[in-house]
Short mmCIF file of all heavy atoms in Angstrom, two decimals:
data_model
loop_
_atom_site.label_atom_id
_atom_site.label_comp_id
_atom_site.label_asym_id
_atom_site.label_seq_id
_atom_site.Cartn_x
_atom_site.Cartn_y
_atom_site.Cartn_z
N CYS A 380 26.99 7.73 1.90
CA CYS A 380 27.11 7.48 3.44
C CYS A 380 27.59 8.71 4.13
O CYS A 380 28.20 9.61 3.52
CB CYS A 380 28.01 6.22 3.68
SG CYS A 380 29.74 6.55 3.52
N PRO A 381 27.42 8.74 5.41
CA PRO A 381 27.81 9.94 6.21
C PRO A 381 29.37 9.97 6.40
O PRO A 381 29.88 10.93 6.87
CB PRO A 381 27.07 9.80 7.47
CG PRO A 381 26.82 8.34 7.67
CD PRO A 381 26.66 7.83 6.29
N THR A 382 29.97 8.83 6.11
CA THR A 382 31.36 8.51 6.35
C THR A 382 31.65 8.41 7.82
O THR A 382 30.90 8.87 8.67
CB THR A 382 32.42 9.52 5.75
OG1 THR A 382 32.54 10.67 6.56
CG2 THR A 382 32.10 9.88 4.34
N CYS A 383 32.75 7.75 8.10
CA CYS A 383 33.23 7.61 9.46
C CYS A 383 34.70 7.33 9.39
O CYS A 383 35.31 7.46 8.31
CB CYS A 383 32.51 6.42 10.19
SG CYS A 383 32.81 4.80 9.46
N ARG A 385 36.25 4.84 8.91
CA ARG A 385 36.69 3.75 8.09
C ARG A 385 36.85 4.10 6.65
O ARG A 385 37.29 3.46 5.75
CB ARG A 385 35.65 2.65 8.09
CG ARG A 385 35.53 1.90 9.36
CD ARG A 385 34.65 0.64 9.19
NE ARG A 385 34.56 -0.04 10.48
CZ ARG A 385 33.61 0.21 11.36
NH1 ARG A 385 32.78 1.18 11.15
NH2 ARG A 385 33.60 -0.44 12.52
N SER A 386 36.31 5.36 6.33
CA SER A 386 36.23 5.76 4.90
C SER A 386 37.63 5.87 4.26
O SER A 386 38.57 6.45 4.77
CB SER A 386 35.50 7.10 4.80
OG SER A 386 35.32 7.40 3.44
N MET A 413 29.98 5.57 -1.53
CA MET A 413 30.12 4.97 -0.18
C MET A 413 31.62 4.85 0.24
O MET A 413 32.47 4.62 -0.66
CB MET A 413 29.56 3.54 -0.27
CG MET A 413 28.02 3.41 -0.69
SD MET A 413 26.98 4.18 0.52
CE MET A 413 27.10 3.05 1.83
N GLY A 414 31.84 5.04 1.44
CA GLY A 414 33.20 5.21 1.91
C GLY A 414 34.11 3.98 2.06
O GLY A 414 35.34 4.03 1.89
N CYS A 415 33.49 2.82 2.35
CA CYS A 415 34.33 1.65 2.60
C CYS A 415 33.61 0.34 2.36
O CYS A 415 32.51 0.38 1.76
CB CYS A 415 34.75 1.71 4.12
SG CYS A 415 33.48 1.10 5.23
N GLU A 416 34.24 -0.73 2.75
CA GLU A 416 33.72 -2.10 2.45
C GLU A 416 32.54 -2.55 3.34
O GLU A 416 31.97 -3.62 3.05
CB GLU A 416 34.84 -3.17 2.61
CG GLU A 416 36.06 -2.86 1.81
CD GLU A 416 37.07 -2.02 2.59
OE1 GLU A 416 36.69 -1.30 3.60
OE2 GLU A 416 38.31 -2.02 2.21
N VAL A 417 32.18 -1.72 4.33
CA VAL A 417 31.11 -2.16 5.25
C VAL A 417 29.71 -2.25 4.54
O VAL A 417 29.18 -3.31 4.28
CB VAL A 417 30.98 -1.35 6.48
CG1 VAL A 417 29.77 -1.81 7.33
CG2 VAL A 417 32.22 -1.43 7.35
N ASN A 418 29.23 -1.08 4.05
CA ASN A 418 27.95 -1.08 3.32
C ASN A 418 28.20 -0.74 1.89
O ASN A 418 27.29 -0.72 1.07
CB ASN A 418 26.94 -0.03 3.92
CG ASN A 418 26.48 -0.45 5.30
OD1 ASN A 418 26.28 -1.68 5.53
ND2 ASN A 418 26.33 0.51 6.15
N GLY A 419 29.40 -0.34 1.56
CA GLY A 419 29.73 0.20 0.25
C GLY A 419 29.39 -0.77 -0.88
O GLY A 419 28.57 -0.40 -1.74
S1 SF4 J 682 29.97 2.83 4.48
FE1 SF4 J 682 31.89 2.70 5.54
S2 SF4 J 682 32.73 4.73 5.63
FE2 SF4 J 682 30.60 4.96 5.10
S3 SF4 J 682 29.58 5.26 7.08
FE3 SF4 J 682 29.44 3.12 6.61
S4 SF4 J 682 31.22 2.21 7.61
FE4 SF4 J 682 31.59 4.42 7.54
#
Side-chain angles (χ1 to χ4, degrees):
C380 78
T382 81
C383 67
R385 291 191 181 87
S386 186
M413 303 292 291
C415 80
E416 304 86 344
V417 175
N418 292 322

